[in-house]
Amino acid sequence: EKAGRSSEENGNGMEFVATCLFGLEKFVGEEIDRLGLSRISTIDGRVTFRGEPKDICRLNLNLRCAERIFILVGSFSTDTPNPFESLFEGTKSLPFEEYIGANDTFTVNGHSVKSRLTSIPACQGVVQKAIAARLASKYGKSWFDGDGCRYAVEFFLLNNEATLMIDTSGVALHKRGYRPESNAAPLRETLAAALCKLARPREDVLFWDPMCGSGTIPIEAALLMTDTAPGLRRSFASEKFPFLPKEYWKEARGEAIGRIKTDVNFESYASDIDPKCVELTRENIYRAGMGKYIKAFERDALKITTGGRRGTVVCNPPYGERLLSQEECAELYKKMGSHFSALDSWQIYILSAREDFERLYGRKADKVRKLYNGMIRCGFYQYFKRKNG
């Protein structure tokens, strides 16, 4: 027996949740708008919106700054004298049989923020039992060990409000598929995409990451400039969902491929002082299919020059945590400030977790955007103008 609802039955009433790193909600919302979907609400790290089943394919393929796409099954309050009972009964009341079939299996994970139910393992157990009870009542069986599709259910408890969701992405969306290996302090691809959007790469303006590591920033810039969907080179958990016809995926991939721009006059440099990073970057560029737009080579970031060209520098130097000591990091920032000031009218964008970055760099940024690199709070320091103009 197969579970699921057709797009006709769902209409435009299906709800989704896109999760993201803190600070990237604006970008995720704009990407959802671009796909023609309707936003409902936004909180830290989450955007809720409406769409149709076929949009699951488009979302996973196209969103650059989201971490996962979830089907929102339902929400309810647990602010009662017995919150565990409310969690059980609320979960049991939700229509999981519309997605999970009689021969399917499921796992449960979740998070709790500012809620009375703080034990994640205990909540997992309650949700697991409630879903099993719901499915048992619908399918007339009490044990789910079939060989069908495997679903990942996630609960989110915020201010005693429970939200139950089904993950459609599988592996997180920042795993594009072009970076199987990375350096010691990798920048998440979703954050790199946001940095590129803020830096506004343009045709005929050289885009340069002089501390490229594994090449994530230049690759994301090239994907953005060519309008190449970030998910084209990977698969997703929902490709196995019985209620999503294969034709939906074929159509979404065809739409994304047809949108790729191949005549973009965009050039990016990816350089690093470490030859191993340069070699890794070249491999990643090849896997991403962006070799036409990115040149990778070995060079000290403190020796880059404009070559008489217009340019933009975007980089993620060490913070003094995993790479370099705090003292070495401080010295690097001072030298960067001195050398980058000689890059004529180039725009400079630097991500750093150091609160004293501007003092060390020797110049106050024109704008600072607060972002999170994983759980590390950072500033994205943006320099638009000449130092003396």
Side-chain angles (χ1 to χ4, degrees):
E1 186 174 353
K2 187 173 76 172
R5 296 180 293 182
S6 68
S7 59
E8 289 78 17
E9 291 169 326
N10 277 284
N12 290 313
M14 199 170 194
E15 294 187 10
F16 302 105
V17 174
T19 58
C20 62
L21 293 173
F22 290 164
L24 302 192
E25 300 85 0
K26 174 181 180 291
F27 303 104
V28 173
E30 289 173 347
E31 291 173 348
I32 290 168
D33 293 344
R34 187 188 181 199
L35 292 176
L37 306 184
S38 302
R39 281 191 262 175
I40 299 172
S41 63
T42 301
I43 61 173
D44 287 347
R46 290 168 187 264
V47 181
T48 304
F49 55 101
R50 289 188 179 88
E52 300 179 17
K54 65 180 181 180
D55 293 320
I56 292 171
C57 315
R58 301 171 66 223
L59 291 159
N60 278 293
L61 285 167
N62 290 290
L63 294 197
R64 299 181 190 280
C65 298
E67 289 298 317
R68 292 181 186 277
I69 304 300
F70 293 93
I71 297 168
L72 197 160
V73 183
S75 300
F76 52 86
S77 175
T78 61
D79 190 15
T80 65
N82 191 335
F84 276 116
E85 181 180 348
S86 297
L87 181 61
F88 181 89
E89 294 299 334
T91 301
K92 188 180 176 183
S93 71
L94 300 178
F96 279 97
E97 71 279 0
E98 295 182 350
Y99 307 101
I100 304 175
N103 295 314
D104 298 334
T105 57
F106 65 93
T107 59
V108 176
N109 284 295
H111 305 276
S112 179
V113 179
K114 298 179 182 178
S115 289
R116 293 166 62 195
L117 297 173
T118 58
S119 172
I120 300 302
C123 291
Q124 282 177 290
V126 170
V127 171
Q128 183 97 21
K129 290 177 182 177
I131 296 174
R134 170 81 185 199
L135 296 177
S137 68
K138 297 296 179 179
Y139 296 128
K141 55 182 291 190
S142 58
W143 183 253
F144 294 84
D145 59 351
D147 56 1
C149 187
R150 185 177 180 86
Y151 293 87
V153 175
E154 180 144 338
F155 62 85
F156 180 52
L157 294 162
L158 174 64
N159 296 324
N160 300 310
E161 179 85 2
T163 300
L164 275 293
M165 307 174 292
I166 294 174
D167 180 21
T168 72
S169 301
V171 175
L173 296 180
H174 73 264
K175 298 284 189 180
R176 315 290 206 212
Y178 65 73
R179 199 179 74 174
E181 294 183 25
S182 58
N183 61 331
L187 181 71
R188 197 172 289 191
E189 292 89 333
T190 44
L191 177 56
L195 301 186
C196 292
K197 289 188 175 191
L198 287 168
R200 301 181 302 279
R202 289 157 288 168
E203 294 190 70
D204 301 317
V205 177
L206 179 63
F207 186 95
W208 195 340
D209 181 355
M211 302 177 181
C212 68
S214 54
T216 310
I217 291 174
I219 291 172
E220 290 297 323
L223 292 173
L224 178 64
M225 286 298 291
T226 58
D227 207 1
T228 301
L232 274 177
R233 294 175 178 264
R234 56 160 288 178
S235 59
F236 306 94
S238 47
E239 290 186 64
K240 297 180 180 179
F241 288 4
F243 58 87
L244 284 182
K246 299 295 182 185
E247 193 62 30
Y248 285 179
W249 286 100
K250 183 178 179 181
E251 180 182 330
R253 289 185 184 277
E255 177 186 277
I257 291 170
R259 204 170 52 241
I260 296 174
K261 302 172 184 175
T262 57
D263 58 348
V264 177
N265 187 22
F266 175 69
E267 185 177 13
S268 178
Y269 286 172
S271 61
D272 202 286
I273 197 171
D274 185 344
K276 292 182 179 178
C277 286
V278 174
E279 183 57 34
L280 179 58
T281 293
R282 286 178 178 147
E283 294 171 0
N284 291 339
I285 291 169
Y286 173 78
R287 277 187 287 264
M290 293 293 112
K292 177 181 177 181
Y293 309 99
I294 310 171
K295 295 178 181 177
F297 53 90
E298 186 180 340
R299 185 171 299 180
D300 186 339
L302 302 177
K303 295 181 180 179
I304 68 172
T305 59
T306 67
R309 301 182 61 177
R310 297 169 62 205
T312 298
V313 168
V314 182
C315 62
N316 175 41
Y319 307 157
E321 296 188 8
R322 287 175 287 185
L323 296 175
L324 303 185
S325 66
Q326 290 289 331
E327 294 75 19
E328 291 171 326
C329 182
E331 187 62 27
L332 172 62
Y333 287 176
K334 291 176 183 177
K335 291 179 178 179
M336 285 171 60
S338 176
H339 181 70
F340 286 2
S341 66
L343 297 179
D344 193 32
S345 58
W346 281 30
Q347 295 185 348
I348 310 293
Y349 299 81
I350 303 170
L351 184 71
S352 177
R354 291 284 295 251
E355 293 186 359
D356 57 352
F357 172 82
E358 289 171 299
R359 179 182 65 79
L360 294 169
Y361 190 75
R363 182 181 166 196
K364 185 174 177 60
D366 295 309
K367 188 174 183 179
V368 182
R369 180 75 176 246
K370 294 300 179 184
L371 298 170
Y372 281 80
N373 187 357
M375 297 303 295
I376 304 173
R377 187 182 184 190
C378 298
F380 191 43
Y381 298 90
Q382 305 168 54
Y383 296 89
F384 309 136
K385 309 166 188 173
R386 292 174 184 269
K387 186 173 183 179
N388 299 315

